[in-house]
């Protein structure tokens, strides 16, 4: 992968591991889901060195449709992330809010961002 | 939007404007498409102040399915971006490579990344 000032380059770890989650939330529980995902993301990027970025966005026309662009230093950082107690609590607490979940593994083409 | 060390905060511009493109490429033209998108992304993030990040990734199981997570300082930066001659050339040069295109406007929930 040709990387251009990517977070991974900033950490000197080579190619990041990127996933894209597509999450359909129960419309009645969107607010509760947002609280849970905010808490989970803030804690993960602050406390897990290999969690480079977690960008959660909602579809503008369908606010119950959420995408998370997930960037990890490598696949091991991802595997550690999903083994944390915090992630397991997040999954359990949001289980009844999620109608469907599509988890996509990707291969970076170019992760272009501003130089740091 | 609650932002946590987002590129937009680094630039002090408030909430970024985020889009997610889903692009199905003609499998026979994936390599040519990758060259074109690399060139377009590198130039845009380097020369357009409002283009914060363009992350292009391919689906691991279906390499002809490409996602671009696009982060702009604001909607005006996006509109300027698509009006550049460079972007118009990219669109024209890749037109015959693209089988389908889904362009999604989003609203950030949390753009969580490492502090700069």
């Amino acid at each position: 992968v040709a990387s251009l000032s990517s977070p991974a380059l900033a950490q000197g770890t080579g190619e990041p591991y990127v996933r894209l989650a597509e999450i359909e939330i129960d419309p009645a529980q969107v607010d509760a889901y947002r609280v849970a995902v905010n808490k989970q993301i803030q804690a993960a990027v602050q406390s897990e060195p290999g969690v480079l970025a977690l960008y959660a966005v909602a579809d503008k026309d369908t606010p119950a449709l959420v995408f998370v662009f997930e960037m990890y230093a490598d696949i091991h950082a991802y595997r550690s992330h999903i083994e944390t107690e915090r992630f397991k609590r997040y999954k359990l607490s949001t289980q009844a809010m999620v109608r469907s979940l599509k988890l996509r593994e990707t291969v970076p083409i170019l992760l272009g961002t501003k130089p740091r």
Side-chain angles (χ1 to χ4, degrees), chain A:
Chain A
V1 60
S3 281
L4 185 70
S5 327
S6 75
L9 278 186
Q11 295 213 343
T13 50
E15 179 173 56
Y17 177 63
V18 176
R19 298 175 63 93
L20 183 59
E22 181 173 344
I23 310 164
E24 196 193 348
I25 310 297
D26 170 7
Q29 298 187 76
V30 165
D31 289 347
Y33 178 77
R34 292 170 66 100
V35 170
V37 80
N38 270 346
K39 192 175 154 190
Q40 157 62 15
I41 288 177
Q42 292 204 14
V45 297
Q46 279 170 359
S47 66
E48 294 174 55
V51 178
L52 304 181
L54 293 170
Y55 296 135
V57 299
D59 185 279
K60 196 179 177 185
D61 300 324
T62 312
L65 183 58
V66 171
F67 293 86
V68 187
F69 185 90
E70 311 172 30
M71 213 182 301
Y72 305 94
D74 53 36
I75 196 167
H76 307 292
Y78 165 69
R79 288 183 184 147
S80 301
H81 170 66
I82 60 173
E83 286 303 319
T84 59
E85 285 310 308
R86 182 194 313 113
F87 183 80
K88 289 175 185 170
R89 278 196 306 274
Y90 156 77
K91 285 295 279 187
L92 198 65
S93 72
T94 56
Q95 189 169 262
M97 305 172 186
V98 172
R99 282 195 176 167
S100 75
L101 183 62
K102 191 187 287 175
L103 301 174
R104 213 181 276 276
E105 263 194 287
T106 77
V107 179
I109 296 171
L110 182 62
L111 304 173
T113 185
K114 295 293 186 209
R116 294 198 165 214

